[in-house]
Amino acid sequence: MSGAAWHARVECGPEVGAGFLVSARRLLTCAHVVRGADQAPVTVSFPGRRDLGGLSAAVAVHGGWQGGAADPGDLAVLELDRDVPLTPAAFAPPRAERTTPAPELIAYGFPKGYDEGMLASYRALPGPLISGEWVQLEALTAHGQPLAAGFSGAALALADGTVVGMVTAVAGAKEVRVGRMLPVEVLARHWPDLGELVPTPGHRSDARRRLYGLLRRAEETGLSCDPKRLYVSATDAFDPPPPDEGFASLRDAAAYVQWEVPEPDAVTRFADRLEELLHAPPSRATTWSPIVVEIDHSGAGADQVTVEVSAYRDGQRRPVGSRRLARSAVRAFVQEHIDEACTQLDPGADELLTFVLPREWLNEPVAHWECGEDDSTPLGCAYPLVVTDRHRHRSGRLRHQLRKKWGKLGASQGVPLRRVDCGTPERPAGLRKRLRDDAELAGFGTPPTTAREHFEVGLTVPVPVLLWPRRGCSGDGHDDPCPGTAFLDELAESVAHVPPSQLPRLVMELRETAEAAEDPDGHWAREVQLLWDDPRCFSEPAALLHSPVG
């Protein structure tokens, strides 16, 4: 402990306390130690480096403490008037003080009469945090230095010198040998920047540094993003749900991932989604909120299907309506319930209309369905609209593999289109290997019915995005220019620099362009169908449709 020059003495008017250096210019102390900073100067000195003398400091961050003994947030970040040539304190992982047997914790404080400092030996009591904020401290012996006035703001360190928390409450009498500290995870809650410095079990240090670098970029660029929706999009059904009140900032959401989500890849996934938003053009920085239309055979007859419409909010699926219908009645039911589903979304949410369809329905012209009886706008021009295969949506294998694929895509600014041209001589097995090894985006030059085997290969490998023309080339030999080739040429140019996560919006724009053309039916994008499959948007397992048939 004598070699740890990062221990500091803090003086503000009549108050004397302790602190500890966390960077070349910043240190932590208690807010109550510097409560008079607006009337009196704050002076910091380092007993291990007396040659530095007294340094002026200012309160850079306040933890929100309101002045009462039981008020939370008794933390202040002080900024020195210059950098100091000292190695800052290093932190232990959260809860390192509450192991069994309880380790000795050493505090370096400045009780009255000891300007050079004194050491106190304590241990943390196991159990829950007091009021969700404090760890109770208890002296290891009945003699020695108690946590008296002058220890507030002191770091509590393990034998290896790593810091587990900060003293905030000291005994009011010499015979009382108890106190309280804010553990590192609570310090980071009140000052989220600290999270970058604290090792978190299960989360790699490089992933943590990357995340906080992205957070700084987000703040510098003024990224507009709903932290709660970003959290939901980066986690899955087995992770803790977000707080009901949401998050006050991106940093709060990142800290929640770091401290509350034990899954090792959670920090990386959150950083990946944040990087996608940072790289997307401002008009395209989107965290999708799906409206799902799921259709399946009911088992009551060839013409009978079960339809369920639901909306996702805060990662949870909210059913809106479900019914067994004749196939001819599906469109009207969907039109009615999509409007209702929109009312279930967060205000300002970027809706994504997703049709989960049986395989033989994947070429259904759902993008051309009108919005309603009194609104002839095609659904595909009113919403970013995608389809996905019902088997893919249910397959645990494909969901797992697709999640990994999307994670690797990260903030990609566009991926090459892997073409499956009209009349391809490639065997299905060869196509399977090509797509599995080297494809995030595949385009077919013909409708699914024309090259059924090749199309089914695309559905059963984890290619995140498939596109094809609903009509066009028959696949047979022909002497005229192939419309499928022209479709793929135009498609490759359109998607070349678009992040895969933003393709639903691009395709909506292409549909609007085709609809507005002088000859809509002649526009190459008139019949484009987009299968877009990102499991991160559907964070709970796919619900099973209820069938009225026993």
Side-chain angles (χ1 to χ4, degrees), residues 100-389:
T100 303
E104 181 181 25
L105 304 177
I106 300 297
Y108 193 140
F110 302 90
K112 187 175 182 180
Y114 294 92
D115 288 355
E116 73 282 9
M118 286 286 283
L119 300 179
S121 176
Y122 275 69
R123 71 180 180 94
L125 292 185
L129 296 180
I130 297 171
S131 197
E133 184 86 355
W134 299 279
V135 170
Q136 185 168 321
L137 301 171
E138 184 179 81
L140 282 177
T141 65
H143 52 275
Q145 175 64 48
L147 290 179
F151 276 87
S152 292
L156 284 148
L158 298 169
D160 64 1
T162 57
V163 175
V164 298
M166 180 179 74
V167 176
T168 57
V170 299
K174 288 186 177 181
E175 65 274 10
V176 179
R177 296 182 178 272
V178 296
R180 287 181 178 179
M181 78 166 188
L182 291 179
V184 290
E185 66 270 25
V186 176
L187 291 173
R189 184 202 308 156
H190 295 302
W191 183 40
D193 284 10
L194 190 65
E196 186 173 3
L197 305 177
V198 180
T200 314
H203 299 316
R204 301 193 319 272
S205 59
D206 59 333
R208 188 176 71 247
R209 287 192 294 270
R210 174 180 170 241
L211 171 61
Y212 281 88
L214 291 169
L215 289 169
R216 284 190 287 274
R217 281 173 51 197
E219 291 165 348
E220 290 165 1
T221 59
L223 177 69
S224 178
C225 170
D226 182 337
K228 187 175 182 180
R229 284 163 54 201
L230 178 59
Y231 172 84
V232 168
S233 74
T235 54
D236 58 33
F238 302 104
D239 293 328
D244 290 341
E245 67 276 15
F247 303 104
S249 67
L250 278 174
R251 283 189 179 269
D252 285 346
Y256 194 81
V257 173
Q258 182 178 353
W259 306 116
E260 304 297 337
V261 182
E263 209 278 315
D265 291 331
V267 166
T268 298
R269 293 202 307 267
F270 188 90
D272 287 346
R273 296 311 297 271
L274 179 56
E275 190 168 17
E276 288 178 21
L277 296 178
L278 282 168
H279 282 284
S283 63
R284 296 187 177 215
T286 305
T287 303
W288 296 113
S289 294
I291 295 172
V292 178
V293 178
E294 192 164 356
I295 300 173
D296 195 16
H297 303 292
S298 71
D303 186 49
Q304 297 293 306
V305 294
T306 301
V307 184
E308 182 176 281
V309 180
S310 54
Y312 275 81
R313 182 166 179 166
D314 299 337
Q316 301 300 313
R317 188 170 184 169
R318 300 185 176 195
V320 173
S322 179
R323 190 173 303 170
R324 189 183 75 193
L325 299 164
R327 182 164 179 164
S328 59
V330 169
R331 185 182 306 191
F333 180 83
V334 168
Q335 291 166 335
E336 175 188 351
H337 287 82
I338 285 175
D339 263 356
E340 186 178 348
C342 286
T343 67
Q344 299 296 314
L345 300 177
D346 275 325
D350 293 296
E351 65 272 12
L352 176 70
L353 185 53
T354 303
F355 281 80
V356 181
L357 302 172
R359 192 156 297 179
E360 65 273 21
W361 279 53
L362 283 176
N363 211 41
E364 188 74 18
V366 290
H368 292 295
W369 290 3
E370 296 179 348
C371 285
E373 185 177 342
D374 300 319
D375 184 353
S376 63
T377 307
L379 286 174
C381 294
Y383 305 93
L385 183 152
V386 303
V387 301
T388 191
D389 176 58

Side-chain angles (χ1 to χ4, degrees), residues 11-23:
E11 187 173 352
C12 180
E15 293 284 344
V16 174
F20 53 102
L21 197 69
V22 296
S23 73

